[in-house]
Amino acid sequence: MATINRIGVIGCGQMGGGIAQVAAQSGYQVTMFDVSGSQLEKAMTGMEKSLTKLSEKGKLKGTVAEVIKRVRPVSQIEELGNCDFVIEAASENRELKLKLFGDLDRIVPKGAILCTNTSSISITEIARQTSRAEKVAGMHFMNPVPLMSLVEGIRGLATSNETFKIVREVAESMGKVFIEAKDAPGFVVNRVLLPFINEAFFALQEGLASPKDIDQAIRLGLNHPMGPFELADYVGLDVCLSVMEILHRDLGDSKYRPAPLLRKYVEAGWFGKKTGRGVYVY
Ligand code: CAA
């Protein structure tokens, strides 16, 4: 495989922090960029906690300190200038991602591969913001990244075979199972998951059952580790709404219309666990 040593991660929320962690666990030198110093601190604390858990269970190669040492938190995007491979995991906001890829193209060496962890935005459109569309791909991790074994790989229209091969190898070197999905809204996981969560909100809105009972029904009736509302609160209701809006707009089918109750919760700022309130209060 082309030698990838330095991985840059953009954004240090749940996804970015998790990606930076698994990259460091796999031996890469990681530069983790976020504009917010307090978010960077929070991400480093979270990473230490997660690594300690993994270490206690004998699931960590090396010590927590050795892994942490491989992560350099930075608040200037220019610091990604020496990376061979960048994974963008900023907020799921189209304009922000498009701008970031224009910036990255100027900052990161021409030979470097640029990936996005978007869960729903067109890889082809993101790639168009750069002068190296053949070196841009989608690399969609699942939350919580340190525990979930899947990565969806997505080729944009111009992604080269060589780039895609390296993306697969990097994902596999992080211990992940890689599947290839088409560059279509939601790819595979969110195309199936979000209408499921959205339907749970319709069910709740219609008074079919209480949130607890709907979650219980899915956990016990389908053997899912979490019910749809527990999962929605965990992923973020704002993220769920944004993905539904993209499915609805881009696939043009009314079956993807966001449930009004989901929209209402987001309007209230009830984004889930991260804001202390979603369907449940934390
Ligand atoms: N790092 C290390 N350890 C972690 C961890 C992390 N980030 N998160 C949880 N753990 C540990 C817990 O501390 C706990 O350890 P102990 O058993 O020692 O106490 C253990 O994992 C199990 O956790 P919990 O007891 O809290 O709960 P659980 O058994 O239900 O497992 C879970 C948690 C792995 C998250 C499980 O509930 C699960 O698989 N849920 C479904 C997650 C899922 O569907 N993710 C995909 C979301 S969709 C997505 O990501 C795509 C998108 O774009 C929206």
Side-chain angles (χ1 to χ4, degrees):
M1 144 163 127
T3 322
I4 304 292
N5 294 313
R6 296 179 182 280
I7 293 191
V9 177
I10 298 193
C12 70
Q14 279 184 74
M15 297 308 290
I19 294 167
Q21 177 184 326
V22 294
Q25 277 176 243
S26 315
Y28 295 105
Q29 294 297 326
V30 179
T31 306
M32 180 171 73
F33 159 71
D34 199 288
V35 280
S36 157
S38 62
Q39 279 296 325
L40 284 166
E41 268 175 39
K42 204 170 145 198
M44 293 306 291
T45 309
M47 203 178 290
E48 194 168 353
K49 236 168 102 185
S50 170
L51 289 167
T52 304
K53 268 266 165 204
L54 296 172
S55 176
E56 283 164 7
K57 291 178 182 167
K59 290 183 178 165
L60 193 67
K61 233 202 243 158
T63 65
V64 173
E66 280 163 359
V67 176
I68 291 270
K69 226 173 122 189
R70 287 198 280 272
V71 183
R72 194 165 66 96
V74 300
S75 54
Q76 299 290 327
I77 194 169
E78 286 73 21
E79 303 263 10
L80 299 175
N82 65 354
C83 292
D84 318 302
F85 194 101
V86 176
I87 306 171
E88 171 276 318
S91 312
E92 193 65 4
N93 173 311
R94 185 169 157 274
E95 278 64 42
L96 173 67
K97 289 195 192 272
L98 298 186
K99 179 177 181 314
L100 276 170
F101 273 77
D103 292 345
L104 273 179
D105 194 43
R106 265 177 273 113
I107 293 163
V108 181
K110 286 297 168 208
I113 290 177
L114 308 179
C115 287
T116 171
N117 180 57
T118 180
S119 51
S120 54
I121 300 167
S122 160
I123 308 302
T124 303
E125 188 182 15
I126 289 175
R128 199 180 113 204
Q129 314 309 311
T130 73
S131 59
R132 59 179 105 179
E134 75 287 355
K135 289 193 176 295
V136 177
M139 200 178 185
H140 184 214
F141 291 79
M142 304 297 132
N143 189 17
V145 181
L147 301 188
M148 301 293 286
S149 36
L150 183 75
V151 169
E152 290 182 294
I154 306 102
R155 291 174 198 254
L157 212 52
T159 309
S160 71
N161 287 340
E162 192 199 345
T163 296
F164 204 66
K165 184 165 170 275
I166 296 170
V167 171
R168 176 189 289 272
E169 286 167 352
V170 168
E172 289 175 349
S173 74
M174 292 180 185
K176 303 300 182 193
V177 174
F178 188 86
I179 66 118
E180 179 173 351
K182 274 194 181 166
D183 188 15
F187 317 127
V188 173
V189 171
N190 281 345
R191 173 74 177 267
V192 175
L193 173 66
L194 268 301
F196 164 77
I197 288 178
N198 197 47
E199 196 58 29
F201 276 93
F202 274 115
L204 180 60
Q205 189 179 300
E206 286 165 23
L208 212 64
S210 69
K212 274 202 155 146
D213 282 354
I214 293 173
D215 274 344
Q216 181 94 311
I218 298 302
R219 255 192 282 106
L220 302 184
L222 297 176
N223 247 356
H224 286 200
M226 287 175 162
F229 299 128
E230 291 167 325
L231 187 54
D233 275 0
Y234 187 66
V235 167
L237 300 192
D238 53 332
V239 176
C240 293
L241 177 61
S242 147
V243 176
M244 280 315 294
E245 281 172 336
I246 290 170
L247 292 178
H248 191 209
R249 189 195 65 202
D250 292 357
L251 296 169
D253 191 323
S254 64
K255 74 178 176 182
Y256 298 112
R257 70 200 183 285
L261 187 63
L262 169 61
R263 195 182 289 286
K264 194 54 75 193
Y265 281 14
V266 172
E267 282 168 3
W270 297 0
F271 293 173
K273 261 193 148 163
K274 62 186 168 191
T275 54
R277 176 154 198 180
V279 177
Y280 299 109
V281 179
Y282 297 90

